[in-house]
Amino acid sequence: MNVSAWVWVATLVALIAVLAVDLLIIGRRPHEPSMKEAGGWVAFYVGLALVFGIGVWLAAGGQAAGEFYTGWLTEYSLSVDNLFVFVIIMARFAVPRHLQQKVLLIGIVLALVMRGAFIAAGAALISQFSWVFYIFGAFLVYTAITLVKSGENDEDDFKENILIRWAKRALPLSSSFGDGRFSIVTEAGKRLFTPMLIVMIAIGTTDLIFALDSIPAIFGITKEPYLVFTANVFALMGLRQLFFLLGGLLERLVYLNIGLAVVLAFIGVKLVLEALHTNNLPFLHGGQPFHWAPEIPIWLSLLVILGTLAIATVASLIKSSRDRKRDLITAER
């Protein structure tokens, strides 16, 4: 897939325009969106991704479109998992509801910047060293095992890192969020940082950690930097509104971690098989490819990812429903 410079420029301009609209809406009227508003925006962004995929199909063929849709679905699922930690951060620092949109939007912008840097670095590595797929694959399998061991999402999933602890100890902080700015000036003329700055440090470092998982995962589906970048962009767009739309539903997706673990393990194995199929490491099989290693087609990857996430979601909702009924019966007794 040969992507010209003007296509990259047009894509970036369109992305900046959409983000500018989001910033304008929040800047003019910080508020907690209604279910109708959040649902409308999520539907708009999902529809935009589907239309973009059709455009990729018309311009570059079904293979490229399949890679985009599979990558977008994978990144979207991982982004939903990010929301669990965002919920915990919001609760931990008691962010007012009307300021949560601003926190999420800035967090999404930070995520886009970080992932853009990781994508550029990953593309450069892959173009020079095909053996990096061994590392990506092993890392994803390790991440999958970690997800299974960690179990359901809870407050232990977020721990204050050294940067947050240093900021809370070294910076003069106010106890109030004020109007959502990073600093305020007291009546005595002293400048204090608000808790909003600490929240943004927490969100930014969390974005960095999640990028370490998501970028190897998407490169396991497509090596085309343009598709990797756009899949990430469309996965992050609408995440702010999805946060408010899902609300309590996030707590009911108890098996999402297991579903994501299966997805990441599958992509990790796929990467290792691909690395074996194109092997050129001199100390492994004399630098010759392992022809027995199969190449997993994109349609099978999409089917496995869709099926896994669907099963995890349905199983989660069934378990949550049973747990609620059991709790009601226990309370009545």
Side-chain angles (χ1 to χ4, degrees):
M1 183 177 177
N2 187 23
V3 181
S4 62
W6 74 265
V7 173
W8 272 103
V9 171
T11 302
L12 291 172
V13 169
L15 167 63
I16 292 170
V18 172
L19 288 175
V21 171
D22 252 352
L23 283 169
L24 184 63
I25 291 173
I26 294 176
R28 291 181 61 185
R29 189 169 65 91
H31 67 289
E32 179 183 349
S34 65
M35 293 290 286
K36 182 179 180 181
E37 180 185 345
W41 276 104
V42 170
F44 169 74
Y45 283 123
V46 170
L48 206 60
L50 296 176
V51 170
F52 181 83
I54 294 173
V56 172
W57 194 321
L58 295 175
Q63 175 71 18
E67 289 178 1
F68 168 76
Y69 282 130
T70 306
W72 169 66
L73 181 63
T74 301
E75 293 299 307
Y76 203 78
S77 304
L78 291 169
S79 296
V80 171
D81 194 45
N82 291 17
L83 289 181
F84 282 108
V85 181
F86 287 170
V87 168
I88 295 169
I89 291 174
M90 299 287 192
R92 179 74 64 86
F93 294 101
V95 180
R97 293 289 289 182
H98 71 282
L99 294 178
Q100 291 182 5
Q101 281 211 79
K102 180 178 181 179
V103 172
L104 289 169
L105 182 57
I106 296 175
I108 289 168
V109 172
L110 288 174
L112 284 170
V113 172
M114 289 179 187
R115 293 188 187 199
F118 274 103
I119 289 167
L125 279 173
I126 290 169
S127 65
Q128 295 295 322
F129 311 105
S130 60
W131 50 262
V132 78
F133 277 164
Y134 286 114
I135 298 174
F136 281 4
F139 178 73
L140 289 178
V141 172
Y142 169 77
T143 302
I145 294 171
T146 303
L147 276 175
V148 172
K149 286 183 176 180
S150 68
E152 298 180 14
N153 290 280
D154 53 36
E155 292 192 5
D156 291 336
D157 290 337
F158 172 74
K159 295 181 176 64
E160 293 187 359
N161 57 53
I162 187 171
L163 185 58
I164 297 173
R165 293 196 299 270
W166 173 84
K168 291 174 70 175
R169 184 175 62 253
L171 300 177
L173 295 172
S174 72
S175 58
S176 171
F177 279 87
D179 59 359
R181 296 180 183 179
F182 292 145
S183 66
I184 59 173
V185 178
T186 65
E187 294 180 357
K190 184 178 181 181
R191 181 170 294 277
L192 299 176
F193 293 99
T194 69
M196 181 65 80
L197 177 62
I198 307 300
V199 171
M200 293 319 308
I201 293 174
I203 292 287
T205 51
T206 299
D207 282 337
L208 178 62
I209 293 170
F210 278 118
L212 292 173
D213 295 338
S214 64
I215 299 307
I218 186 68
F219 271 116
I221 293 167
T222 177
K223 302 181 191 68
E224 173 54 53
Y226 182 76
L227 295 180
V228 173
F229 178 72
T230 51
N232 268 277
V233 169
F234 281 106
L236 290 169
M237 282 183 171
L239 193 62
R240 173 175 62 85
Q241 292 86 354
L242 188 65
F243 174 87
F244 295 97
L245 180 64
L246 291 181
L249 182 60
L250 284 171
E251 298 176 0
R252 297 171 61 187
L253 299 177
V254 293
Y255 293 132
L256 180 62
N257 268 9
I258 296 176
L260 290 175
V262 172
V263 169
L264 291 178
F266 170 77
I267 297 174
V269 171
K270 179 178 181 293
L271 274 172
V272 172
L273 288 174
E274 186 169 344
L276 289 171
H277 190 81
T278 58
N279 176 65
N280 58 8
L281 291 176
F283 58 84
L284 193 62
H285 199 233
Q288 298 299 311
F290 291 84
H291 297 294
W292 56 263
E295 291 185 284
I296 300 175
I298 195 64
W299 65 265
L300 180 58
S301 298
L302 181 57
L303 188 63
V304 169
I305 293 169
L306 269 173
T308 301
L309 295 174
I311 291 171
T313 301
V314 172
S316 294
L317 296 179
I318 290 173
K319 183 180 186 300
S320 296
S321 178
R322 288 177 176 173
D323 289 346
R324 284 201 311 275
K325 289 179 180 178
R326 184 189 61 207
D327 292 341
L328 285 174
I329 293 172
T330 303
E332 289 174 357
R333 290 177 181 174

